Amino acid sequence: MSNATTVTTTRFELKQLFHLMIPILVTQFAQAGFGLIDTIMAGHLSPQDLASIAVGVGLWIPIMLLFSGIMIATTPLVAEANGARTPEQIPSIVRQSLWVALILGIIAMLILQTMPLLLPILGVPENLLPKASLFLHAIGFGMPAVTMYAALRGYSEALGYPRPVTAISLIALVALIPLNFLFMYGIGPIPHLGSAGCGFATAILQWLMFISLASYVFKAKRYQKTQPFALWEKLNSYWIKRILKLGLPIGLAIFFEVSIFSTAAIILSPLGEITVAAHQIAISVTSQLFMIPMSLAIALTIRVGTYYGEKNWDAMRKVQVLGLATGTVFALITMLLMWLLRAEIVAAYTSDYEVTQIAVYLILFAIAYQLMDAWQVSAAGCLRGMQDTKGPMWITMFAYWVIAFPVGIYLARFTEMGAAGVWVGLIVGLSIACVLLLTRLHMNNKRLSFNN
C-alpha cells in the first residue's frame, strides 16, 4: 500500500499547477526573450548580422541547455525531500548542486572557446565566421553563472517560490536592450561589434542574474529553514552521484531535442542567408511559444515529484492527467493564434520581402507540431518528477537524431523542399518522441500501482 492516500481535488491541483506555472512561464518567456531581443536587434542591422547570430546561437543554445539542463536535477530532488518530510536534506542537496554547477559551467565555458574551430568544418560561409566566432567566445564567459543560477532556480521553484526568479528575469530582460546597444554599436572605449556584441551583453547579464538570486536567497526569511549558504560544505560523493545520475540524462535529453532545432540553421546555411534568416525567425517564434508547455512541464515535475516523495500514487496520476489536458488546451490556442497572426508576427522581425515570404510559409509547419510538442514535453516533465530520466534520454536521442536529423538533411538538401524539409523532419521526430514518452509514462504508472 502507498504511505499516503490523501485525496486531492481537480480544483486544488489546477490551482497548484497554475500557481507554479504562471511565474515560471514569465521567467521562461523572459529568458527566451534574451534570444528574441538579440535576433530582432541583429535583424535590424543586416541579413548578414542576423545570419551570423543564427549560427552563433545555433551552437551556444544546445551547449547552454545541456549544462543548465543537468542542474534541473535539483528540482525533483528538493521536491522529493519536501514531499517525504525530510527538509533537513535540502541545504546539502543545494550546496552539492552548486558545486556541480560551478564545475560544469567552467567545462561549458572552455567548450564554447573552442567552438569557432568547428564553423568552417560545418560549412558555415566565410563572411559569417568573424561575428559568429566572437559571439561564441564572448558568451562562453557567462556559462558558470548560467549553471549556478539554474541550480538556485531549481531549489527556489521546488520549494514553491518561483516569483523571485521571475522578478530577476524580467529586470534582466529590460537591462539587455541597453547592454546590447552598448556592445553592438560601441560607445567610448567599447568598439562597434555588430551582432557579436550580443555575446558580451548576455555574458555580463548572466553574472548579474546569478549574484542577484544568490543574494536574495541568502537574505530572504522564507529560505532560512533550508538555507544553502549557512555553512561551507565539501564535495559529497553521495549527492554528486545522485545529481549527475538524475541530471545528466535530463541535460542530454534537452540537448538532443534543442540541438536538432538549433543545428537546422547550420544545415540550411549553404542555401543562402535569406533562407537562414527566414528559418531563424520561424524558430525564434516557436521557441517563444514552446515556453508555455515547457513551464507547465516544470510545474508538473514539482507536483509529481512532491507526490512521488509522499508515495501518493493516486494524486500523482491525477496531476499527470490534468497536466496533459491543460497542455492540450494551450496548444490548440497557440495553433489558432499562429494561424491568424503569422504575417504580423514575421513583420516584427524583418521588413525584407524575400525573408518575410519564406518565414510566413515555415510558420505553417510550426503550427503542425504544437500538439505533439505539448504532449511530449508534459510527459517528460512527469517522468522527471518520478525520477525516471534515463529512458526519456534514449527516446529523445532516437527520435531526433536517428530519425528527424537524417530525414531533415535529406529533404532539405537532396529534394526541392529546401528549408521546409528540415521542418518535416522535426514534425516526424516530435511525433515519435511523443508516442514513446506517453507510452513510458503509462508503463511507469502501471508498475507503481502493481508494486503498491
Side-chain angles (χ1 to χ4, degrees):
M1 287 292 291
S2 62
N3 292 356
T5 52
T6 314
V7 177
T8 183
T9 64
T10 300
R11 188 178 174 183
F12 173 77
E13 284 308 331
L14 278 175
K15 192 177 172 185
Q16 290 300 308
L17 273 178
F18 280 99
H19 171 76
L20 287 166
M21 182 193 164
I22 290 166
I24 291 170
L25 177 60
V26 177
T27 302
Q28 293 295 117
F29 268 132
Q31 296 201 329
F34 299 156
L36 176 69
I37 287 170
D38 288 349
T39 304
I40 290 172
M41 290 178 78
H44 286 285
L45 286 172
S46 71
Q48 187 190 331
D49 275 282
L50 182 55
S52 298
I53 275 287
V55 171
V57 168
L59 290 169
W60 173 66
I61 291 280
I63 297 295
M64 184 270 287
L65 289 174
L66 166 63
F67 285 92
S68 61
I70 294 169
M71 301 323 303
I72 291 174
T74 313
T75 305
L77 288 172
V78 171
E80 184 200 20
N82 217 17
R85 308 285 188 268
T86 54
E88 67 281 356
Q89 290 186 343
I90 293 173
S92 270
I93 294 169
V94 183
R95 286 177 204 130
Q96 296 305 314
S97 285
L98 285 167
W99 271 119
V100 174
L102 176 62
I103 294 162
L104 290 176
I106 292 167
I107 293 167
M109 179 177 72
L110 295 173
I111 290 169
L112 283 165
Q113 298 312 308
T114 61
M115 272 285 170
L117 300 173
L118 278 178
L119 298 179
I121 299 164
L122 292 166
V124 175
E126 210 168 303
N127 64 326
L128 304 183
L129 292 178
K131 284 177 181 173
S133 298
L134 185 56
F135 173 85
L136 289 166
H137 285 312
I139 209 160
F141 290 108
M143 276 310 304
V146 171
T147 49
M148 291 190 290
Y149 183 82
L152 281 184
R153 176 187 167 176
Y155 157 66
S156 188
E157 289 177 350
L159 289 180
Y161 307 134
R163 282 173 176 76
V165 180
T166 305
I168 290 167
S169 299
L170 285 173
I171 294 164
L173 188 65
V174 175
L176 181 61
I177 297 169
L179 269 175
N180 266 353
F181 266 110
L182 191 65
F183 287 97
M184 286 170 82
Y185 295 100
I187 295 172
I190 297 165
H192 170 91
L193 297 169
S195 56
C198 300
F200 289 91
T202 304
I204 291 165
L205 203 62
Q206 300 291 1
W207 279 105
L208 292 173
M209 287 170 70
F210 168 65
I211 292 162
S212 302
L213 184 55
S215 303
Y216 183 79
V217 165
F218 181 65
K219 289 178 182 174
K221 280 185 183 176
R222 61 178 64 170
Y223 301 102
Q224 295 315 308
K225 285 183 183 175
T226 57
Q227 179 54 252
F229 298 119
L231 55 92
W232 174 263
E233 200 174 283
K234 286 186 204 170
L235 285 160
N236 177 318
S237 61
Y238 170 76
W239 283 115
I240 298 290
K241 280 177 191 168
R242 276 203 72 182
I243 291 160
L244 289 175
K245 189 179 175 185
L246 194 60
L248 202 55
I250 297 173
L252 285 169
I254 292 170
F255 174 78
F256 292 141
E257 181 176 352
V258 173
S259 58
I260 199 79
F261 282 83
S262 298
T263 52
I266 295 158
I267 294 166
L268 295 174
S269 61
L271 301 180
E273 57 192 43
I274 297 292
T275 301
V276 174
H279 167 80
Q280 184 61 19
I281 289 168
I283 281 286
S284 179
V285 172
T286 57
S287 299
Q288 303 306 305
L289 293 169
F290 179 66
M291 295 307 137
I292 300 169
M294 182 69 180
S295 303
L296 176 63
I298 295 169
L300 282 169
T301 298
I302 296 164
R303 294 302 299 155
V304 168
T306 304
Y307 285 130
Y308 183 80
E310 287 179 12
K311 295 183 166 56
N312 187 350
W313 314 133
D314 290 340
M316 188 179 77
R317 277 192 296 275
K318 184 159 199 160
V319 170
Q320 292 171 7
V321 171
L322 279 172
L324 286 162
T326 306
T328 304
V329 172
F330 281 130
L332 292 170
I333 293 167
T334 300
M335 289 164 79
L336 181 64
L337 290 174
M338 284 172 81
W339 171 258
L340 294 173
L341 302 173
R342 59 194 187 281
E344 288 80 0
I345 292 166
V346 173
Y349 286 86
T350 185
S351 55
D352 186 287
Y353 178 76
E354 284 183 86
V355 175
T356 299
Q357 293 299 104
I358 300 170
V360 169
Y361 172 60
L362 293 179
I363 282 176
L364 298 177
F365 291 90
I367 293 169
Y369 67 62
Q370 291 303 305
L371 269 174
M372 292 295 181
D373 212 9
W375 291 336
Q376 66 88 18
V377 77
S378 297
C382 294
L383 289 165
R384 272 177 215 146
M386 297 161 83
Q387 302 196 11
D388 177 9
T389 58
K390 205 173 275 184
M393 175 192 75
W394 291 115
I395 287 169
T396 50
M397 190 190 81
F398 171 74
Y400 302 127
W401 285 97
V402 178
I403 305 293
F405 188 67
V407 168
I409 285 187
Y410 174 75
L411 293 176
R413 290 197 177 172
F414 302 103
T415 73
E416 292 178 9
M417 290 185 77
V422 166
W423 289 78
V424 171
L426 293 175
I427 292 167
V428 172
L430 280 166
S431 302
I432 290 168
C434 175
V435 171
L436 293 176
L437 286 167
L438 286 171
T439 304
R440 187 170 181 89
L441 183 61
H442 176 68
M443 300 295 284
N444 276 10
N445 284 324
K446 274 182 77 173
R447 180 175 51 78
L448 285 173
S449 298
F450 181 75
N451 292 340
N452 293 278

